Amino acid sequence: MNSIRLIWGPTLAALCCLWLMPGTGRAEPAEIRVYQGQKLHPFHRTYDNSIRGPQTVDAKKLRFKIDGLVAKPQRLTYARLLRLPHVRRVVTMPCVEGWSERLLYDAVRLKDVIMLAVAKPGVKTVIFHAADGYTSSLTWAWVQKHEVLLGFRINGLVLDKKRGFPFQVIAPGKLGYKWVKWVVAITLSDKPYRGYWERRGYSNEANAN
Ligand SMILES: Nc1nc2c(c(=O)[nH]1)N[C@H]1C(S)=C(S)[C@@H](COP(=O)(O)O)O[C@H]1N2
Ligand SMILES: [Mo]
């Protein structure tokens, strides 16, 4: 009897210590899987249809560029961009391949980001440049009328090298190939622009239905 007590005491104490120890799974916030009654797709997945696979962007070195038809070209740090007002939205992204994903995004508004650079008159197109060389665009008119976002968290977790860190374009109503991941620069232009998939025959409008 005594020997059982001798083993149980320390074992229980050790288990309690492990549970309370910082860094044993408690540092990472838990992923949000249901939001306001809506079931979300998971953050982590094996599927990847991007042109060059995961990209590693260094947050400390990031200088997010805004150039082209702007009065004040910008080179913004990640911290500066995250100081803009945050919005939280559940959005479904439809890919032309026939699948779609509903996720919870924390984001800044594209309009607020562009405001920092002050768009000049005559802008027709917003071009997004990504770390993998991928590009796409949206018309200025469409961006004015809709809530386009730059997402930095999905389901409560900061984007990673698979999900598009530092930012993914969120363009509700547009097909997935407009939802540029690993965005590191924006150019405002007075000309139309065709991005990676658009040049390969996909619609530049890319309306979801
Ligand atoms: N930088 C970059 N962004 C990209 C792509 C890409 O290859 N590179 N693929 C696009 C396509 S075709 C789709 S369907 C979506 C997929 O986004 P998801 O990984 O968030 O599902 O990313 C879009 N954004
Ligand atoms: Mo896609």
Side-chain angles (χ1 to χ4, degrees):
M1 272 319 249
N2 257 344
S3 63
I4 289 172
R5 215 174 297 147
L6 260 159
I7 294 163
W8 267 110
T11 307
L12 265 171
L15 278 171
C16 285
C17 280
L18 229 116
W19 172 258
L20 291 168
M21 206 156 62
T24 48
R26 299 199 317 152
E28 270 287 296
E31 181 181 355
I32 300 163
R33 294 303 313 277
V34 179
Y35 185 71
Q36 295 180 342
Q38 296 191 84
K39 205 172 178 303
L40 307 167
H41 283 81
F43 178 100
H44 297 286
R45 54 167 195 202
T46 48
Y47 184 77
D48 174 31
N49 73 347
S50 60
I51 57 164
R52 291 201 176 87
Q55 301 291 314
T56 306
V57 175
D58 187 339
K60 285 186 233 89
K61 289 195 193 131
L62 178 71
R63 296 294 178 271
F64 191 102
K65 190 156 71 171
I66 312 175
D67 66 3
L69 262 187
V70 294
K72 299 182 187 175
Q74 299 287 319
R75 311 259 297 161
L76 303 159
T77 63
Y78 186 61
R80 175 67 191 92
L81 284 163
L82 290 206
R83 275 203 298 279
L84 292 169
H86 295 183
V87 299
R88 182 165 258 204
R89 302 277 183 270
V90 174
V91 199
T92 302
M93 190 216 68
C95 174
V96 280
E97 296 167 320
W99 55 275
S100 69
E101 255 185 4
R102 179 165 63 194
L103 297 164
L104 172 68
Y105 290 93
D106 290 316
V108 294
R109 293 186 190 88
L110 178 63
K111 275 178 206 164
D112 292 342
V113 174
I114 291 175
M115 202 112 73
L116 298 171
V118 188
K120 283 187 183 171
V123 174
K124 291 255 160 44
T125 313
V126 183
I127 305 164
F128 303 98
H129 306 270
D132 57 351
Y134 186 90
T135 63
S136 189
S137 67
L138 293 167
T139 67
W140 184 241
W142 197 83
V143 166
Q144 295 302 306
K145 279 191 241 121
H146 298 83
E147 189 186 56
V148 183
L149 303 169
L150 294 184
F152 59 90
R153 258 189 241 131
I154 286 175
N155 297 356
L157 307 178
V158 175
L159 299 192
D160 63 6
K161 60 183 200 270
K162 286 185 175 174
R163 276 293 181 184
F165 183 88
F167 299 101
Q168 179 174 23
V169 173
I170 299 159
K174 297 290 187 188
L175 290 165
Y177 60 88
K178 295 285 182 186
W179 297 48
V180 182
K181 297 162 74 172
W182 305 289
V183 184
V184 289
I186 290 172
T187 303
L188 300 193
S189 167
D190 57 357
K191 294 174 193 67
Y193 180 89
R194 295 187 83 86
Y196 184 90
W197 286 119
E198 293 88 333
R199 262 175 256 163
R200 286 160 177 78
Y202 287 90
S203 155
N204 208 5
E205 295 271 315
N207 290 320
N209 31 52

